[in-house]
Amino acid sequence: MKVGYGRVSTDQQTLQSQQDALEQAGCDRIFIETASGARSDRPVLKEALEFMREGDTFVVVRLDRAARSVSHLISLLNDLDQRGISFHSINENIDTSSAGGRLVFNIFGSIAEFERDLIRERTQAGLVAARKRGRIGGRPKVMTDDKRDAAMKLLAAGTAAKDVATAIGVSLPTLYRHCTVN
């Protein structure tokens, strides 16, 4: 069975061209949704995916109708493949029921993995360069040496821990973590 899925982002857009293309592709059942592609919770897409069984084909007009990103598309196609469901994108002419379609899908997967590796390498190089300039990543320390010294003096003078924490601008747990409070 061919199961079609069409999606537009807003009510002002029309689904008619997608619906026509899905009908022309021979879809037996068509699921239609109005939802942003950026949303991860698309109930009609979820319904369509749950509806399909082994041997079915999931059909979309364009790749961006089904997935938010390349990594989401790869995840979706891997899930379909594990369930024995083919994928067909009409405009890109990708059909995973054929050897050529599976090749194109695997190329997409390799490109996405390559892109993730490049991002990771650039991030690591940036962190190394920042460390060489004396910059350290992460959240700035709330309890500085000056604040700790001031807190210790106030505590030694008998000021309540809660008042000391408020005076130096830290939380009570932070004060306890950095100062020995009796």
Side-chain angles (χ1 to χ4, degrees), residues 137-151:
R139 188 174 177 173
K141 304 259 185 260
V142 173
M143 181 65 91
T144 62
D145 289 341
D146 291 342
K147 283 185 180 183
R148 185 180 181 284
D149 293 342

Side-chain angles (χ1 to χ4, degrees), residues 4-104:
Y5 174 75
R7 180 188 60 79
V8 292
S9 299
T10 66
D11 290 327
Q12 288 77 34
Q13 295 173 317
T14 178
L15 280 160
Q16 195 58 52
S17 63
Q18 288 183 57
Q19 194 157 1
D20 291 345
L22 293 170
E23 287 171 3
Q24 190 173 10
C27 291
D28 303 301
R29 175 92 188 263
I30 298 174
F31 291 82
I32 300 295
E33 184 162 41
T34 300
S36 169
R39 289 182 50 187
S40 59
D41 62 326
R42 291 187 273 159
V44 177
L45 175 61
K46 183 178 178 183
E47 182 184 351
L49 295 174
E50 289 173 355
F51 176 81
M52 290 184 293
R53 302 291 176 251
E54 185 174 347
D56 288 350
T57 301
F58 184 56
V59 183
V60 293
V61 175
R62 292 191 324 265
L63 291 174
D64 67 340
R65 300 296 88 194
R68 301 183 313 271
S69 62
V70 174
S71 59
H72 180 237
L73 177 66
I74 290 168
S75 172
L76 174 68
L77 293 181
N78 279 331
D79 177 58
L80 293 173
D81 185 53
Q82 288 174 356
R83 294 172 50 202
I85 299 169
S86 300
F87 176 82
H88 180 207
S89 174
I90 298 168
N91 283 5
E92 289 84 6
N93 199 21
I94 296 173
D95 185 351
T96 62
S97 65
S98 70
R102 285 189 299 279
L103 172 66
V104 170

Side-chain angles (χ1 to χ4, degrees), residues 70-71 74 105-123:
V70 174
S71 59
I74 290 168
F105 166 68
N106 286 321
I107 290 170
F108 277 158
S110 297
I111 290 170
E113 185 176 341
F114 176 68
E115 181 181 22
R116 283 190 302 273
D117 289 344
L118 283 179
I119 291 169
R120 189 177 308 115
E121 287 175 9
R122 285 193 301 260
T123 301

